[in-house]
Amino acid sequence: MAMPVDSEQLHEVRSFDPYGAHRDDPYSFLADIGETEPVFYAPLLGAWCVTRREDMVAVLRDDQSFSARDHNPRPAAALPEDVSRMFRTWRGADAVAVGSLDPPEHARVREVLNAGFTPARVRAFEPTIRAIATDLVERAAVLTEFDFISAFAVPYALEVICRRLGVPEDYYDRCRTWSEQRIELMMSQSNADPERLREFARGLMDFGAFARSLVQERLAAPQDDLISELLHDGKAGRTLTADEVSVQVPTLIFAGHMTCAEALGTILYQQLQSPGGWAEVVDGTIAVRDLVEEGLRFDSPLAGMYRTAVRDVVVGGVHLAAGSRLLLLYGAAGRDSRSHACPAAFSPDSRSATHLAFGHGIHFCLGAGFARAELEIAVEAIATRMPGLTLAPGQPPHHRPVFPLRALTELRVRQ
């Protein structure tokens, strides 16, 4: 057994740059360094990167030693003071979304949210998901060539989560814009234009105000949607307050559509460039469920999540001091040779579901079942209506510089 080493011995400059050099393929770098240094410090990210599945699971199971409070990416440079203030308070004073809550507060909020995504709730909503998928596929089917991301993946994922929540259709595009503005602030670089940052921050203030207004409407007049359920129909009478629901709504919109759209892009791209192509999905050679799970394993739409050590700890044989920031690289866990026989090969089969794309432990994605149904329904609709789908000629697609999200800029396809 290897003896633990102090982090100071390993605090070397590592060239991991998921925004630049490693934007399209972070996995080759992570596989190489992970063999000898499964926990390494990345100055660009200001965090200790964890690459082995077993180490990530250990961290995610230890809620006493690691906090999720600061789990999102941080801007690379200090934001202007007024922008920083808006970025901290746009949800409300001291408001914290469920993904950032630690025990014991986390359990109470999570229990109510879980009730909105039970298998029965998901099944009841599946006809709506299918109708959305069919409508968008029919619109795209008249095009000879199109960008799959903008024509299907994003509008599909956005409409599905907005319909489940009860967001009026007039606000779909604004929810997308607000989500993008949040990304821009989280990913802000040192050369960012202060006025653009202020524009984004004001957008988030509008996002928060919209969520609070919508929740108040549902509090007074419940409808058949998730917001109303959280306010009025909690399990065993448990519900959330209007303020608590208002805090969760933007996160459900943001995470609910971004990761699904990103996963669809990966799934389609990887299968279209595989030797068997889309025909293997159309004829049933590859089961839709296996394809979805392999897409999640091969290139997780959320490549990682941050945690903070609240006391001195040992992770992967490395001593880390209290306050150390860790990036658990879920995507690297999907390529861990200890868990997968051919980790770098896209090969859908029934063993793909061992990935960490939905996380692990108390913060396991509460909408995992919903997301799986959403992805499978989309693939089925595309295979049925577009059996001859292929990649359009040209350069391979690139990823946006929004790590740890794994988002293709576009995906040109033809039929």
Side-chain angles (χ1 to χ4, degrees):
M1 179 181 296
M3 294 296 292
V5 296
D6 194 276
S7 62
E8 292 303 315
Q9 297 174 250
L10 299 175
H11 207 298
E12 303 174 18
V13 174
R14 295 300 179 192
S15 58
F16 184 44
D17 181 6
Y19 307 118
H22 306 121
R23 183 194 307 179
D24 291 321
D25 177 22
Y27 301 112
S28 296
F29 174 89
L30 294 173
D32 288 342
I33 195 171
E35 287 300 317
T36 57
E37 200 173 332
V39 178
F40 68 91
Y41 187 76
L44 183 64
L45 304 175
W48 290 88
C49 295
V50 183
T51 63
R52 286 183 184 170
R53 188 182 193 279
E54 62 182 296
D55 294 330
M56 294 181 220
V57 169
V59 170
L60 293 168
R61 285 177 174 170
D62 188 355
D63 307 312
Q64 301 303 309
S65 301
F66 302 94
S67 171
R69 187 77 178 199
D70 190 20
H71 76 269
N72 285 315
R74 293 174 178 170
L79 297 171
E81 194 280 329
D82 57 333
V83 173
S84 179
R85 183 179 63 255
M86 287 187 279
F87 197 27
R88 291 194 311 270
T89 62
W90 66 277
R91 295 178 187 273
D94 301 318
V96 180
V98 67
S100 298
L101 289 174
D102 291 322
E105 294 87 354
H106 173 268
R108 180 183 61 82
V109 175
R110 173 69 184 238
E111 182 181 31
V112 180
L113 290 173
N114 281 344
F117 295 97
T118 62
R121 296 278 195 190
V122 173
R123 286 193 298 271
F125 195 69
E126 282 185 4
T128 300
I129 301 176
R130 292 186 188 281
I132 295 169
T134 299
D135 176 59
L136 285 167
V137 166
E138 289 297 330
R139 291 191 217 173
V142 301
L143 305 172
T144 301
E145 182 177 319
F146 60 95
D147 171 26
F148 175 76
I149 303 300
S150 61
F152 184 89
V154 169
Y156 169 72
L158 184 63
E159 183 172 352
V160 167
I161 192 59
C162 284
R163 290 277 291 275
R164 179 68 184 100
L165 284 165
V167 173
E169 185 175 356
D170 290 348
Y171 282 87
Y172 291 0
D173 286 342
R174 272 178 276 189
C175 286
R176 174 65 178 173
T177 297
W178 289 329
S179 296
E180 287 292 336
Q181 289 173 330
R182 185 184 176 204
I183 290 176
E184 291 291 340
L185 286 172
M186 286 193 296
M187 305 295 174
S188 177
Q189 302 298 309
S190 58
N191 60 350
D193 179 358
E195 286 308 312
R196 282 181 59 80
L197 295 178
R198 290 186 176 91
E199 176 189 347
F200 300 153
R202 287 191 290 268
L204 285 192
M205 296 297 288
D206 291 341
F207 200 3
F210 163 72
R212 290 188 289 275
S213 174
L214 183 59
V215 168
Q216 287 298 323
E217 289 178 14
R218 295 298 184 269
L219 188 63
Q223 296 187 15
D224 183 17
D225 56 41
L226 178 57
I227 292 177
S228 300
E229 292 165 16
L230 297 176
L231 291 166
H232 301 280
D233 302 325
K235 181 180 177 182
R238 298 182 185 88
T239 58
L240 299 179
T241 67
D243 285 344
E244 288 171 334
V245 176
S246 298
V247 171
Q248 313 308 325
V249 168
T251 291
L252 291 169
I253 294 172
F254 178 86
H257 89 272
M258 298 290 287
T259 53
C260 177
E262 291 154 13
L264 279 172
T266 291
I267 290 166
L268 205 71
Y269 174 56
Q270 294 300 334
Q271 187 57 38
L272 288 177
Q273 69 168 348
S274 70
W278 194 240
E280 291 191 330
V281 181
V282 175
D283 67 17
T285 300
I286 293 176
V288 169
R289 177 162 298 182
D290 291 345
L291 177 64
V292 166
E293 297 299 333
E294 178 67 351
L296 293 170
R297 176 202 74 83
F298 187 77
D299 196 353
S300 171
L302 181 61
M305 191 75 80
Y306 290 91
R307 290 292 185 270
T308 304
V310 298
R311 56 192 180 199
D312 292 355
V313 293
V314 176
V315 178
V318 179
H319 282 292
L320 299 176
S324 294
R325 189 163 159 84
L326 291 78
L327 176 58
L328 309 180
L329 288 162
Y330 299 160
R335 305 285 189 100
D336 192 334
S337 60
R338 296 160 188 78
S339 303
H340 303 280
C342 299
F346 186 80
S347 180
D349 61 37
S350 60
R351 295 167 295 178
S352 298
T354 57
H355 58 74
L356 291 182
F358 294 118
H360 188 82
I362 66 169
H363 284 286
F364 181 80
C365 176
L366 62 90
F370 186 85
R372 283 184 161 112
E374 187 178 359
L375 292 169
E376 290 172 18
I377 288 170
V379 171
E380 290 167 358
I382 298 163
T384 298
R385 189 64 178 84
M386 301 180 184
L389 206 62
T390 62
L391 289 173
Q395 294 296 314
H398 295 288
H399 289 79
R400 297 175 58 197
V402 291
F403 192 86
L405 296 174
R406 293 285 294 158
L408 291 172
T409 54
E410 67 173 358
L411 180 61
R412 303 296 304 181
V413 296
R414 63 171 41 183
Q415 51 183 333

